[in-house]
């Protein structure tokens, strides 16, 4: 996917990338599966709508921060050539479907504040902060290789894909479904009998009516969490209630549930949790599913592992302004240095370890 060397031209305020940010962003793409890096544009345009869009060669020419960073990135990619063709290690999948996105954002729905990308981004952000890598896959994908599957706002889902998620959980997987999921079939027809329709049996719940919140309105849960946008009149029918509302339109009504299904578990999140509560929820899900980060790292340090057979590479991208030390064994490809137990990554820098075979 194309990206920019620095500022774009189409935002209200087009902020330039800070020194080192071009490199970190680009190598983060490689860490997460890219086999190349693509920029628009080669030389900054002199005229036209995109004349202030950044480029590999800016208006000021090659004696610039941008061009020097582009050249350094080229050398980095040459040093990382052996990574090409490997796959990202991910124990978590996030289900994503364009048709569900189109469907959920049609008009005449219960709340204009329910948007498709909202919970998708929130859950992904929590995983990122936890140092956990996730694949973003279609609901029809093979889920058997994942320990945890997150299902954000999957408003529209086919019978086959809903059944596949049920089988995944029965076989030992952990799944978490957020509100306004499973509501309609592939033709955007309501699934009758109570929400969340396609996932009602899996989750062991039944919602009889939606109670969306007014703009700016918040509710509290009895586990200390804060939420907004959405509540619903939910009945636990086989599910364990983990948290209920203490105020708002539905005090005492369940908001967070969990149901044991076969060898796995299915969680339901019936409201829009704020960021701290989402982080706590994701931490519980990761613990239950047995998912760990690629390496132990402090906040702000991105760690991702790519693998090809019995070979593996650990990417460590330091987005902070302080030096960090990580456990690592192998060769650091960008410098050629040997790592015998510990890797030092300076502030704002990137390291890629070809890991010793364990």
């Amino acid at each position: 996917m194309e990206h920019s060397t620095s500022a774009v031209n189409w935002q209200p305020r087009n902020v330039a990338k800070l020194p080192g940010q071009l490199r970190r962003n680009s190598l983060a793409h490689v860490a997460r599966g890219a086999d190349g890096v693509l920029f628009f544009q080669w030389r900054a345009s002199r005229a036209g709508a995109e004349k202030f869009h950044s480029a590999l060669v800016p208006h000021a020419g090659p004696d610039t921060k941008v061009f020097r960073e582009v050249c350094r990135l080229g050398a980095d990619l040459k040093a990382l050539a052996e990574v090409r063709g490997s796959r990202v290690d991910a124990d978590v999948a996030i289900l994503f479907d364009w048709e569900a996105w189109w469907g959920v954002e049609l008009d005449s729905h219960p709340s204009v504040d329910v948007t498709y990308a909202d919970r998708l981004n929130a859950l992904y952000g929590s995983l990122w902060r936890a140092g956990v890598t996730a694949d973003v896959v279609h609901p029809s994908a093979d889920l058997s290789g994942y320990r945890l599957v997150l299902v954000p706002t999957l408003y529209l889902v086919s019978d086959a894909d809903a059944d596949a998620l049920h089988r995944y959980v029965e076989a030992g997987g952990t799944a978490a479904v957020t509100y306004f999921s499973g509501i309609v079939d592939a033709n955007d027809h309501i699934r009758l009998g109570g929400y969340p329709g396609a996932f009602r049996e899996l989750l062991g719940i039944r919602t009889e009516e939606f109670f969306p919140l007014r703009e700016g309105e918040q509710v509290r849960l009895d586990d200390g969490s804060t939420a907004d946008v959405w509540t619903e009149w939910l009945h636990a029918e086989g599910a364990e209630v983990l948290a209920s509302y203490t105020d708002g339109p539905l005090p005492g009504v369940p908001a967070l549930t969990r149901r044991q299904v076969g060898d796995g578990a299915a969680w339901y999140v019936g409201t829009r949790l704020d960021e701290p509560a989402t982080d706590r929820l994701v931490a519980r899900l990761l613990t239950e599913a047995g998912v760990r980060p690629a390496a132990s790292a402090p906040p702000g340090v991105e760690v991702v592992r790519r693998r090809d057979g019995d070979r593996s590479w650990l990417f460590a991208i330091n987005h902070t302004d302080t030096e960090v030390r990580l456990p690592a064994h192998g060769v650091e490809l960008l410098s050629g240095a040997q790592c015998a137990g510990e890797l030092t990554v300076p502030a704002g820098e990137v390291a890629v370890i070809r890991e010793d075979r364990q």
Side-chain angles (χ1 to χ4, degrees), residues 69 75 135 157 169-170 195 245 251 306 322-323 326 333 337 355:
E69 290 195 17
D135 286 342
V157 63
V169 175
E170 283 185 324
Y195 315 117
Y245 303 106
R306 288 183 64 154
T322 58
E323 176 182 281
L326 309 175
L333 297 179
E355 296 180 298

Side-chain angles (χ1 to χ4, degrees), residues 153-167:
T153 325
L154 196 65
Y155 163 78
L156 178 151
V157 63
S158 70
D159 292 344
D161 292 344
D163 290 344
L165 184 67
H166 200 135
R167 292 193 300 271

Side-chain angles (χ1 to χ4, degrees), residues 33-50:
D35 280 348
V37 176
L38 173 66
F39 292 107
F40 174 85
Q41 50 192 324
W42 160 238
R43 189 181 299 275
S45 306
R46 295 185 63 187
E50 295 174 315

Side-chain angles (χ1 to χ4, degrees), residues 190-349:
I190 295 289
R191 295 177 178 274
L192 302 179
Y195 315 117
F199 301 124
R200 194 171 64 242
E201 179 183 351
L202 169 66
L203 298 168
I205 60 172
R206 182 176 63 88
T207 291
E208 61 176 86
E209 189 175 2
F210 299 137
F211 277 72
L213 300 177
R214 301 178 189 278
E215 185 176 7
E217 185 180 3
Q218 291 186 328
V219 292
R220 300 282 296 179
L221 279 59
D222 57 16
D223 65 354
S225 299
T226 301
D228 62 7
V229 171
W230 190 265
T231 64
E232 54 188 59
W233 197 319
L234 183 151
H235 304 275
E237 297 185 345
E240 174 189 4
V241 176
L242 302 178
S244 300
Y245 303 106
T246 61
D247 58 11
L250 300 171
V253 170
L256 178 65
T257 65
R258 178 187 179 277
R259 179 176 178 240
Q260 191 74 30
V261 182
D263 294 326
W267 295 56
Y268 183 64
V269 189
T271 189
R272 185 182 183 272
L273 298 173
D274 65 11
E275 185 174 293
T278 301
D279 286 350
R280 292 194 298 270
L281 171 64
V282 167
R284 294 174 70 180
L285 293 168
L286 294 174
T287 298
E288 176 169 296
V291 177
R292 297 181 179 181
S296 178
V301 180
E302 191 172 354
V303 286
V304 183
R305 179 172 285 109
R306 288 183 64 154
R307 190 182 301 275
D308 185 6
D310 59 358
R311 298 194 303 164
S312 63
W313 299 265
L314 180 69
F315 286 72
I317 304 166
N318 186 358
H319 297 281
T320 76
D321 57 5
T322 58
E323 176 182 281
V324 298
R325 291 178 172 85
L326 309 175
H329 295 266
V331 178
E332 203 287 298
L333 297 179
L334 299 178
S335 67
Q338 291 283 340
C339 296
E342 186 176 74
L343 168 68
T344 299
V345 188
E349 286 294 323

Side-chain angles (χ1 to χ4, degrees), residues 35 81-87 306-308:
D35 280 348
E82 65 185 63
V83 174
R84 185 175 57 230
S86 61
R87 302 288 299 217
R306 288 183 64 154
R307 190 182 301 275
D308 185 6

